[in-house]
């Protein structure tokens, strides 16, 4: 769709990056940006090969060293804004997201153009390892509290952001790795954005490479970030109550009360 730019942060994803790009390309975005975050394998070469294989503009940004997911996303966001994006979609490079779901996020954004749209891995959640499910539920509780509304799958890297919203936010959290997306979500809500969600399938390949997400360390960094925000706001009890009374969307996602349905 015109105006939609997809950012794919990638670190050592030579086995999957070509297939991910192909699936995203088939969904029809205006442009794809891959940020190679200091990979030591053939990720960048696989992306360069895809540049010639697609009519959709495909940009490759390279970091000389691994700077973390937050820095990769920040580089991609800056590039997308400079390219004139209206909607910016982030999507992980490990194959856990279906490019075919991209139009569903866009349809929600058209109805609610000021909202962040999260593709929540609600379906078949038992496919994910138990430790990952526990870590995600813990993060969901704290982040929903800080946002004042229940948000399903706050750790999903498949999201759509209004470009105008991102251009108004301070991206200084980029150095915080996986916590960057948490800070971005809290900042978006603080700027007045709503959060909508769609339900997507949980895709986990036990034979694939291990996740770069470290359940204990990265979840702890997220909890510290959110805890600091709650302390700053004197524990924000109104936000806790709001997070506990979120309403279910018809397709399995969530929304804050009184928001229009899909």
């Amino acid at each position: 769709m015109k105006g939609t730019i997809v950012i794919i942060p990638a670190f050592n994803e030579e086995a999957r990056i070509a297939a991910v790009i192909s699936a995203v390309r088939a969904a029809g975005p205006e442009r794809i940006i891959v940020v190679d975050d200091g990979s030591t394998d053939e990720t960048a070469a696989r992306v360069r090969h895809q540049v010639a294989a697609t009519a959709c503009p495909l940009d490759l940004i390279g970091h000389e060293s691994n700077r973390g997911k937050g820095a990769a996303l920040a580089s991609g966001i800056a590039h997308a804004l400079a390219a004139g994006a209206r909607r910016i979609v982030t999507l992980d490079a490990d194959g856990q997201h279906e490019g075919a779901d991209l139009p569903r996020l866009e349809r929600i954004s058209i109805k609610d153009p000021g909202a962040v749209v999260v593709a929540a891995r609600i379906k078949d959640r038992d496919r994910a390892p138990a430790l990952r499910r526990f870590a995600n539920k813990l993060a969901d509780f704290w982040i929903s509290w800080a946002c004042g509304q229940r948000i399903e799958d706050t750790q999903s890297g498949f999201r759509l952001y209004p470009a105008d919203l991102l251009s108004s936010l301070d991206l200084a959290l980029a150095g915080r790795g996986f916590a960057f997306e948490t800070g971005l979500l809290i900042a978006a809500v603080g700027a007045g954005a709503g959060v909508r969600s769609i339900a997507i399938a949980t895709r986990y390949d036990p034979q694939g490479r291990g996740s770069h997400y470290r359940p204990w360390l990265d979840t702890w960094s997220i909890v510290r970030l959110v805890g600091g925000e709650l302390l700053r706001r004197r524990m924000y009890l109104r936000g806790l109550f709001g997070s506990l009374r979120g309403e279910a969307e018809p397709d399995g996602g969530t929304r804050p009360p009184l928001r229009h349905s899909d």
Side-chain angles (χ1 to χ4, degrees), residues 86-103:
R86 294 205 301 264
R87 292 168 297 276
I88 294 177
V89 174
T90 63
L91 180 144
D92 292 342
D94 58 4
Q96 68 173 298
H97 305 139
E98 287 276 12
D101 285 322
L102 174 59

Side-chain angles (χ1 to χ4, degrees), residues 20-189:
V20 171
I21 292 171
S22 294
V24 171
R25 180 186 65 216
E30 181 171 323
R31 181 180 296 270
I32 300 171
I33 300 169
V34 177
V35 184
D36 177 30
D37 189 31
S39 296
T40 56
D41 63 2
E42 293 298 308
T43 296
R46 301 287 169 85
V47 176
R48 283 192 289 267
H49 179 74
Q50 286 288 309
V51 171
T54 176
C56 172
L58 174 58
D59 301 337
L60 174 62
I61 299 173
H63 289 172
E64 291 187 4
S65 60
N66 181 245
R67 293 162 53 188
K69 189 178 183 182
L73 287 171
S75 293
I77 289 169
H79 191 80
L81 291 174
R86 294 205 301 264
R87 292 168 297 276
I88 294 177
V89 174
T90 63
L91 180 144
D92 292 342
D94 58 4
Q96 68 173 298
H97 305 139
E98 287 276 12
D101 285 322
L102 174 59
R104 297 177 59 206
L105 276 71
E106 290 174 317
R107 286 195 293 269
I108 299 295
S109 181
I110 289 171
K111 293 180 179 179
D112 195 349
V116 177
V117 187
V118 177
R121 297 161 295 180
I122 295 171
K123 302 175 182 176
D124 306 315
R125 263 190 167 174
D126 58 351
R127 291 181 181 176
L131 180 57
R132 290 292 301 277
R133 296 200 307 270
F134 172 78
N136 285 349
K137 283 184 177 294
L138 184 63
D140 287 349
F141 171 78
W142 285 95
I143 297 169
S144 294
W145 183 350
C147 289
Q149 59 183 274
R150 194 175 79 227
I151 300 174
E152 296 281 0
D153 200 4
T154 59
Q155 300 311 292
S156 174
F158 194 5
R159 303 177 180 179
L160 183 152
Y161 300 93
D164 287 345
L165 171 67
L166 288 182
S167 67
S168 71
L169 300 180
D170 182 359
L171 301 183
L173 290 170
R176 300 195 180 193
F178 281 93
F180 173 87
E181 291 172 293
T182 295
L184 204 55
L185 194 59
I186 294 172
V189 172

Side-chain angles (χ1 to χ4, degrees), residues 187-211:
V189 172
V195 180
R196 302 289 299 278
S197 68
I198 64 167
I200 62 171
T202 301
R203 304 177 71 204
Y204 176 76
D205 181 3
Q207 304 303 318
R209 69 134 177 89
S211 172

